[in-house]
Amino acid sequence: SSGINAEYGQGSEQAHLESYVSTLTVLICSAPPQASNVQIVYDKVSALFSKMLESDMTSKLTSLRAFKTLIMSCDPVIKIRYIRSVSPAFFEIFFAYQKKSPAREDDLTVLKEILSIQRFLLSSCLPDTHIHMIRLIVPVLISVLGSAAHAECLAEITYLTQTYPVEVRNMFTSQPHLKQQLETAIRSSAAKAQAQTTPARLSNSNPISTAPKIALKMDFSNFK
């Protein structure tokens, strides 16, 4: 973030940056379209957001929150322009979780913001594009199961399954290995949770079967 701070101001660097981005976002959302939909404003803001998304976790979080405010509050035409320009950097952060799952608290906070934005993007796009978004999002969520973000990712998969059942069913039909990975990850996590809550003395005196008798919280058998 040093490059960003050097460009946009020093002294309480992060507070200055957050204030700058917040003020800029409010101005864009409150200004009439003919004032905010100017190419130079669009270019500068898009470049700033994309640059921050490539920086440290705090800058990422600041940019994500401003981006969410922008796309949820501003004029529809302007919103689409920013979605198209900033989304590549946005999804690059999300896809990176396939290689490195969230481990720290700030990682988890960033992921939560990303999931919130993705919900909005899904609800805003045309119905015939839902399946394409689902096929991008769900594999990443499945790959993160078992990490510190297991609960958040499982909740998001459940939400997508309930909100877009046809799209999720079609995805699992065309990619059955994903359904298998999902169910394996859920069972593995449940088994670990049960093992951690079972007192060691009971494990020693009353050995249990090595095959965990654990029911899935959600039945995915209908998605064949």
Side-chain angles (χ1 to χ4, degrees), residues 19-207:
S19 176
Y20 176 87
V21 173
S22 176
T23 302
L24 188 62
T25 303
V26 170
L27 287 173
I28 293 173
C29 292
S30 59
Q34 61 268 29
S36 56
N37 194 22
V38 178
Q39 189 64 40
I40 189 171
V41 175
Y42 166 77
D43 290 342
K44 285 285 188 180
V45 174
S46 296
L48 173 60
F49 278 16
S50 296
K51 190 173 183 180
M52 291 177 66
L53 288 173
E54 296 171 357
S55 189
D56 59 71
M57 282 295 176
T58 306
S59 294
K60 282 187 176 74
L61 188 58
T62 300
S63 181
L64 286 169
R65 287 172 173 167
F67 178 55
K68 181 168 68 173
T69 299
L70 193 62
I71 64 176
M72 287 183 174
S73 306
C74 70
D75 179 82
V77 174
I78 300 174
K79 172 183 74 175
I80 292 173
R81 293 189 70 181
Y82 284 110
I83 288 175
R84 288 174 176 172
S85 65
V86 180
S87 286
F90 167 81
F91 278 105
E92 187 174 340
I93 298 174
F94 180 62
F95 294 146
Y97 287 121
Q98 281 186 301
K99 297 181 179 179
K100 185 179 180 181
S101 298
R104 304 179 309 180
E105 188 63 31
D106 54 357
D107 287 319
L108 194 56
T109 303
V110 166
L111 178 60
K112 289 177 181 178
E113 286 295 334
I114 289 174
L115 297 180
S116 174
I117 293 171
Q118 283 181 344
R119 283 194 182 190
F120 178 77
L121 292 177
L122 261 172
S123 67
S124 301
C125 65
L126 296 174
D128 60 353
T129 64
H130 288 162
I131 183 62
H132 303 296
M133 291 280 286
I134 294 293
R135 286 174 175 169
L136 288 173
I137 295 170
V138 173
V140 179
L141 296 174
I142 292 176
S143 72
V144 178
L145 292 176
S147 72
H150 177 91
E152 287 76 14
C153 289
L154 183 57
E156 193 64 18
I157 292 171
T158 301
Y159 164 80
L160 294 173
T161 300
Q162 294 172 342
T163 309
Y164 308 98
V166 174
E167 289 83 358
V168 173
R169 183 181 296 111
N170 289 340
M171 181 200 63
F172 281 144
T173 299
S174 62
Q175 303 181 70
H177 66 283
L178 288 177
K179 177 172 175 283
Q180 183 179 5
Q181 289 175 8
L182 171 60
E183 294 182 337
T184 299
I186 293 173
R187 289 192 176 97
S188 176
S189 177
K192 288 179 181 178
Q194 186 184 56
Q196 291 173 353
T197 57
T198 301
R201 59 183 179 81
L202 293 181
S203 298
N204 293 332
S205 60
N206 297 304

Side-chain angles (χ1 to χ4, degrees), residues 194-224:
Q194 186 184 56
Q196 291 173 353
T197 57
T198 301
R201 59 183 179 81
L202 293 181
S203 298
N204 293 332
S205 60
N206 297 304
I208 61 174
S209 170
T210 56
K213 298 178 181 178
I214 300 170
L216 298 178
K217 289 185 178 180
M218 180 166 185
D219 183 11
F220 291 91
S221 59
N222 291 327
F223 295 91
K224 298 180 179 178

